[in-house]
Amino acid sequence: MLSAVKDNTLYQTYSGSTTNSNGKGEHIFAGRTDDGYLRRAFIAFDLSAIPAGSTITGVSLTLFMSRSRASAVNVSLHRATASWGEGTSNAAQEEGRGALATPGDATWLHRFYPTSLWANVGGDFRSTTSAVASVSREGPYVWSGAGLVSDVQMWLNDPATNFGWLLCGDEMQDKSATRFDSREVTTVNNRPVLRVGYVPPQPIGACCLPDDSCALLTSNQCAQAGGTFQGVGTTCTPNPCQPPVGACCLTNGVCEELTQIECTARGGAYHGDGSTCAPDLCPVVLTPFVDPLPVPAPLAPVSGSIGGAATYEVPMRQVQQKLHRDLPLTTVWAYGTAFPGPVIEATVDQPVTVKWINDLRDSSGALRTNHYLPVDTCLHGPDMEGSKPRVVVHLHGGKVRQQDDGYPEETFLPGQSRTNFYANSQPAAAIWFHDHALGITRLNVYMGLAGLYILRDAAENALGLPSGANEIPLVIQDRKFRADGSLVYPALWDEHFFGDTIIVNGKAWPYLVVKKGKYRFRVVSGSTSRTYRLALSSGATFHQIGTDGGMLPAPVPLNQITLMPGERADVIVDFASYPMGAEIFLTNSAPAPFPGEVGTGVVPNVMKFIVTNVVGHTATLPATLRPLEQLQESNAVTHREFILRKSADACTGAKWLINDLHWDDISEFPVLGTTEVWSFINRSGVAHPMHLHLVLMQVLDRQPFVISNDLVVPTGPRVPRTADEAGWKDTVRANPSEITRVITRFDGYAGRYPYHCHIIEHEDHEMMRQFEVVLPPRFTDIKRIGTDILLSFQPSANRRHFLQRRNDFAAGAWTTFATNILGGTSNLTTLDPAGATQLRRFYRIGLSAE
Ligand code: C2O
Ligand code: CU
Ligand code: CU
């Protein structure tokens, strides 16, 4: 039961400008007076006794009518929409005419006399009726219903809107004025009374909503809103709803743990809720295209001539190198003085000898005893050798003897050296040298141990291709840096590493000023894991003239070229048609890992070309380059299959395998001089660049497959290789869910050579095996001893042999008389071809099938 806190009457009179009121009077009036003027009453109640958050269930207003009317009239309640006052005016007698308003009184014109006016003369209120009652005789009358409930609920929810009600009589009808007792009436029982029924609020507390905002709700409401209730009586100040924080990489390479909103506001990159500022999380963001492209110079020999037969000495050194304008010096390992190493220029059939010297020293000048980067000793190699800074140099793409190939186990330490002989008896090509130490190749190459080896011949030199300043190596790699310039590489083996910065010839995102003309770029894809799909931002066509192992038969026009780690491309780019000042970007669109998802892991820029108005090499490109010997599948004596897939590893979690076998499991013994077809069956989700040492391959075709009941089931035809792959390859992309067939002839040298995936992280953790090229077996002696024939032969290592003879040379049919002979140098038979004089023509030896 609430009593009114204020009430008053607005009196309309003849002048229309009356200021009569009746603040302290004992009555209030509503309706039209006998002489035709309106009376309106306002009444308000204080609801503060009702707990905030309550639900109003019922409202009734009781007014006592203190002067009766002959006939019934309707008196209605309207919600007031502006505040009004009650002063001290107090009308005399029956109060029907009011009294002069005092300050603060509401009048027909004023909300508060004399300063504030109603917006509408006669009071501001909602036209909608909240409740109505019919009154006639003296006595109490009650207004109630949904309209009042909603008014009171509104006032409770927002007390600032509680201006009370207007009491409105029948204003259409003369002599309808009604009189009710006010809150000041002497008879207390006749004073206005408001009864409010309500359900008090459920216990409320702070609720953390899904968007991390805070609201005061009941626990049920909170649950319905998907929030977390913080407990009855908890409040939102201070805000208990802590938004999650995560690592945020700011643009200067600094990491802070911030909320996502804070991180974005500061221009940072958010690494996800709950992520932490782990070391090396935040990359240094370098401005691209501020450094000119370095062009590695040809190495000067210690004897002989550049490009001819020569002897070189190449020390491996730890040096400080400036890799970007804004980056402090970076510690790298160089062949010579800078990474990538110098270019060794050589000519076909003019041999080169290189003394490779491990001269890696720490900053004090002492020979290093451990690696610069952390070494994962789970891997084969470091499991025995620990973190020693072992090196061994492999000439990738070179046809060399086993002892010169850079056998991964024949590593040497600081203070030691190895001298290798390179015969250069192979097609002219841009090949490259890089480190190959077992289990740490990725670390050594990442540190910088790689360089280019360009082999030329007279036929190529006669083609008139861009040369000299118009022929430029582009060794493309990726790196990641700390703000102090040092290289970031994970301490524990991971199946791939992707740097966020592209380095070309040892500079991050360099630029090259080019003449209007053709350039020959010898592109080396030299990252440990990252594949590049290169294109010109102008969309222009360029020409590929060579692959890993030398010239293509003819230039191949392309708009983009995909190079996996280890692959090379010899390309001609023509800048003649661009205006002076044009800027053309060499872009990359290859996802990482590859082939991955379009756009994922891509570092889009490689370098920039700026075109000058100087005219460069404008001679036309020859239509044909050189004839290519096409290896014939019909000549293949052996077909082998290699399953590429990941496996579990107790130490690192995972490792990559070829046919589920390891480095020491040698099972391929190709015979020197024979041709084989190798099929790489990629049962994994990523592409693997498969590389064979010693030999050059030709891609035959690729065929899609699915796995059904653990069997490889081809799902389409073999798709022949495209023109850009129609040359000699030493590294071949084996796409996921495809059988990639290559053909190769194992000529050159007998011996053990690695073959492996050139994603060096894979290579280092078991995706590298060996084949052993064996000499064909041959008879060393055949002689007659009495009636016996003594056959002496040199077996082919690790192979089983069969022996055959024919009785009649002219008849020609061979009869096998011994099989599966492993070794030994002699075999005695009693099989004397009757009357034969030229014994060797009656016997032959071969290799049993493996
Ligand atoms: Cu380029 Cu065995 O490697
Ligand atoms: Cu190689
Ligand atoms: Cu691989």
Side-chain angles (χ1 to χ4, degrees):
M1 236 173 66
L2 303 170
S3 355
V5 289
K6 58 182 178 179
D7 53 12
N8 211 336
T9 303
L10 276 43
Y11 293 83
Q12 186 190 37
T13 59
Y14 305 97
S15 70
S17 60
T18 182
T19 56
N20 273 14
S21 185
N22 192 17
K24 290 289 170 240
E26 294 198 41
H27 306 292
I28 52 177
F29 296 86
R32 192 182 278 269
T33 60
D34 291 2
D35 42 5
Y37 291 95
L38 295 179
R39 301 286 181 264
R40 289 172 180 171
F42 279 92
I43 184 164
F45 296 84
D46 178 5
L47 303 175
S48 59
I50 303 172
S54 296
T55 304
I56 306 300
T57 55
V59 175
S60 69
L61 173 66
T62 306
L63 296 178
F64 191 85
M65 186 174 179
S66 54
R67 186 193 275 164
S68 65
R69 297 228 54 106
S71 55
V73 292
N74 282 341
V75 175
S76 56
L77 294 175
H78 297 255
R79 201 175 76 223
T81 57
S83 86
W84 47 272
E86 184 194 77
T88 54
S89 57
N90 195 346
Q93 297 162 344
E94 296 297 314
E95 303 184 3
R97 296 201 159 263
L100 278 179
T102 64
D105 262 327
T107 75
W108 191 254
L109 300 178
H110 301 88
R111 300 194 293 122
F112 296 95
Y113 178 84
T115 50
S116 309
L117 296 175
W118 296 106
N120 303 289
V121 170
D124 297 338
F125 53 89
R126 226 164 52 119
S127 60
T128 310
T129 300
S130 294
V132 64
S134 171
V135 302
S136 53
R137 299 187 175 283
E138 288 174 12
Y141 289 90
V142 175
W143 287 258
S144 64
L148 299 190
V149 169
S150 101
D151 290 347
V152 171
Q153 184 76 65
M154 175 182 151
W155 295 336
L156 180 70
N157 294 351
D158 184 2
T161 62
N162 181 3
F163 307 122
W165 286 289
L166 165 83
L167 197 63
C168 183
D170 186 346
E171 297 191 345
M172 296 297 113
Q173 193 186 323
D174 275 352
K175 305 181 181 173
S176 65
T178 52
R179 191 185 83 172
F180 298 93
D181 286 346
S182 78
R183 70 189 189 102
E184 285 90 2
V185 76
T186 328
T187 311
V188 172
N189 283 344
N190 290 353
R191 291 179 179 171
V193 164
L194 185 70
R195 287 184 179 82
V196 178
Y198 60 88
V199 178
Q202 298 299 303
I204 61 167
C207 172
C208 290
L209 295 167
D211 67 355
D212 299 319
S213 65
C214 184
L216 287 176
L217 297 173
T218 68
S219 76
N220 279 347
Q221 289 167 328
C222 184
Q224 277 166 23
T228 312
F229 191 62
Q230 303 297 302
V232 174
T234 54
T235 64
C236 283
T237 40
N239 186 346
C241 309
Q242 284 305 326
V245 295
C248 173
C249 288
L250 301 171
T251 47
N252 58 0
V254 170
C255 184
E256 285 184 32
E257 286 170 16
L258 300 173
T259 67
Q260 183 163 14
I261 290 169
E262 291 165 337
C263 183
T264 314
R266 291 176 60 182
Y270 190 64
H271 281 255
D273 296 347
S275 58
T276 55
C277 279
D280 302 334
L281 179 73
C282 294
V284 179
V285 182
L286 297 171
T287 310
F289 320 125
V290 295
D291 293 291
L293 175 80
V295 178
L299 184 62
V302 291
S303 70
S305 59
I306 292 181
T311 299
Y312 294 90
E313 277 185 8
V314 180
M316 286 160 246
R317 294 223 166 99
Q318 177 166 316
V319 299
Q320 305 281 307
Q321 192 168 333
K322 185 88 173 150
L323 303 187
H324 183 272
R325 182 194 68 188
D326 301 334
L327 210 54
L329 291 173
T330 301
T331 299
V332 299
W333 287 358
Y335 288 116
T337 53
F339 109 91
V343 177
I344 293 181
E345 284 275 352
T347 299
V348 170
D349 291 328
Q350 299 194 26
V352 157
T353 301
V354 184
K355 182 178 184 185
W356 302 101
I357 303 160
N358 184 341
D359 193 32
L360 295 170
R361 294 169 187 270
D362 61 26
S363 49
S364 76
L367 292 170
R368 291 200 68 101
T369 54
N370 64 345
H371 210 281
Y372 177 84
L373 293 171
V375 172
D376 189 334
T377 52
C378 283
L379 273 56
H380 188 36
D383 60 348
M384 315 290 290
E385 303 282 346
S387 64
K388 290 180 196 161
R390 297 173 294 128
V391 300
V392 63
V393 186
H394 166 58
L395 183 62
H396 175 134
K399 186 173 285 294
V400 304
R401 298 174 305 178
Q402 179 188 320
Q403 65 264 41
D404 296 311
D405 187 55
Y407 190 69
E409 295 187 56
E410 289 175 358
T411 55
F412 51 103
L413 292 170
Q416 301 178 322
S417 67
R418 286 288 180 281
T419 299
N420 294 131
F421 174 79
Y422 305 126
N424 295 331
S425 298
Q426 61 184 97
I431 60 179
W432 61 308
F433 51 92
H434 63 75
D435 192 82
H436 221 298
L438 192 69
I440 55 169
T441 298
R442 69 196 186 292
L443 306 179
N444 290 354
V445 172
Y446 188 72
M447 282 302 290
L449 293 179
L452 198 59
Y453 188 108
I454 299 181
L455 205 45
R456 306 177 190 276
D457 67 5
E460 179 185 310
N461 293 344
L463 288 172
L465 297 168
S467 61
N470 299 321
E471 181 190 9
I472 295 179
L474 300 178
V475 180
I476 303 175
Q477 300 173 307
D478 60 350
R479 293 290 185 270
K480 186 173 176 184
F481 298 100
R482 294 187 193 88
D484 66 1
S486 59
L487 291 170
V488 175
Y489 191 89
L492 298 180
W493 179 86
D494 193 2
E495 62 177 337
H496 45 232
F497 170 83
F498 299 112
D500 50 28
T501 306
I502 305 300
I503 304 284
V504 187
N505 295 352
K507 281 285 183 198
W509 294 305
Y511 66 84
L512 176 68
V513 175
V514 293
K515 290 167 278 191
K516 285 173 166 289
K518 294 186 180 66
Y519 281 81
R520 181 181 188 187
F521 293 116
R522 316 295 293 251
V523 183
V524 179
S525 177
S527 284
T528 61
S529 284
R530 185 179 289 282
T531 295
Y532 298 92
R533 183 179 290 143
L534 303 172
L536 296 166
S537 58
S538 59
T541 297
F542 53 89
H543 287 86
Q544 185 175 3
I545 58 168
T547 51
D548 306 335
M551 288 270 156
L552 285 160
V556 177
L558 294 173
N559 288 317
Q560 61 177 33
I561 187 167
T562 301
L563 296 174
M564 292 203 75
E567 291 188 284
R568 281 93 65 214
D570 198 350
V571 297
I572 303 284
V573 178
D574 193 348
F575 296 100
S577 62
Y578 299 103
M580 178 190 162
E583 298 192 338
I584 297 111
F585 300 90
L586 182 61
T587 62
N588 167 44
S589 61
F594 187 82
E597 305 275 330
V598 174
T600 301
V602 178
V603 179
N605 282 312
V606 177
M607 64 178 291
K608 179 169 88 170
F609 302 103
I610 305 167
V611 183
T612 60
N613 61 352
V614 180
V615 175
H617 180 104
T618 53
T620 46
L621 200 52
T624 57
L625 298 163
R626 72 168 44 185
L628 180 81
E629 178 202 0
Q630 181 59 58
L631 298 183
Q632 295 303 318
E633 197 179 339
S634 55
N635 289 335
V637 297
T638 306
H639 289 68
R640 302 180 199 267
E641 295 189 337
F642 299 88
I643 305 279
L644 312 178
R645 65 176 158 192
K646 193 152 59 172
S647 169
D649 181 86
C651 196
T652 57
K655 64 185 168 195
W656 285 91
L657 295 176
I658 303 170
N659 278 349
D660 300 331
L661 295 171
H662 297 75
W663 167 245
D664 287 316
D665 308 324
I666 304 177
S667 58
E668 286 77 39
F669 298 96
V671 177
L672 184 67
T674 62
T675 299
E676 299 197 354
V677 171
W678 284 27
S679 297
F680 297 110
I681 303 168
N682 186 348
R683 292 183 62 168
S684 75
V686 295
H688 302 275
M690 298 307 295
H691 171 52
L692 272 62
H693 288 210
L694 180 69
V695 296
L696 291 170
M697 300 174 269
Q698 290 174 349
V699 179
L700 286 174
D701 43 47
R702 293 188 173 87
Q703 183 177 31
F705 69 83
V706 291
I707 296 296
S708 171
N709 293 324
D710 207 36
L711 291 174
V712 172
V713 180
T715 55
R718 288 172 171 162
V719 180
R721 53 130 200 262
T722 48
D724 55 307
E725 277 191 321
W728 292 109
K729 296 283 292 170
D730 58 45
T731 307
V732 170
R733 175 171 35 88
N735 296 318
S737 299
E738 283 184 9
I739 302 167
T740 302
R741 295 199 316 148
V742 299
I743 187 166
T744 184
R745 189 169 52 220
F746 288 88
D747 50 15
Y749 308 98
R752 290 186 178 182
Y753 292 89
Y755 67 97
H756 58 88
C757 173
H758 218 288
I759 291 174
I760 310 181
E761 282 73 15
H762 295 185
E763 168 185 342
D764 269 350
H765 201 20
E766 291 304 304
M767 210 172 195
M768 176 167 73
R769 297 184 56 213
Q770 312 175 55
F771 60 82
E772 182 174 342
V773 179
V774 296
L775 296 167
R778 62 188 172 87
F779 292 115
T780 52
D781 196 19
I782 300 180
K783 61 175 171 265
R784 194 188 308 266
I785 300 177
T787 56
D788 289 351
I789 304 293
L790 183 66
L791 302 173
S792 300
F793 69 93
Q794 173 75 51
S796 192
N798 297 300
R799 296 292 303 269
R800 294 170 186 277
H801 308 80
F802 62 82
L803 294 172
Q804 292 178 325
R805 72 173 169 86
R806 51 185 170 186
N807 288 324
D808 173 358
F809 184 72
W814 291 92
T815 312
T816 302
F817 64 89
T819 55
N820 290 330
I821 308 166
L822 248 187
T825 55
S826 69
N827 246 315
L828 189 65
T829 86
T830 55
L831 301 163
D832 182 8
T837 52
Q838 291 175 297
L839 275 177
R840 280 184 185 266
R841 303 178 68 179
F842 286 84
Y843 291 91
R844 72 178 184 189
I845 187 166
L847 291 168
S848 302
E850 283 174 55

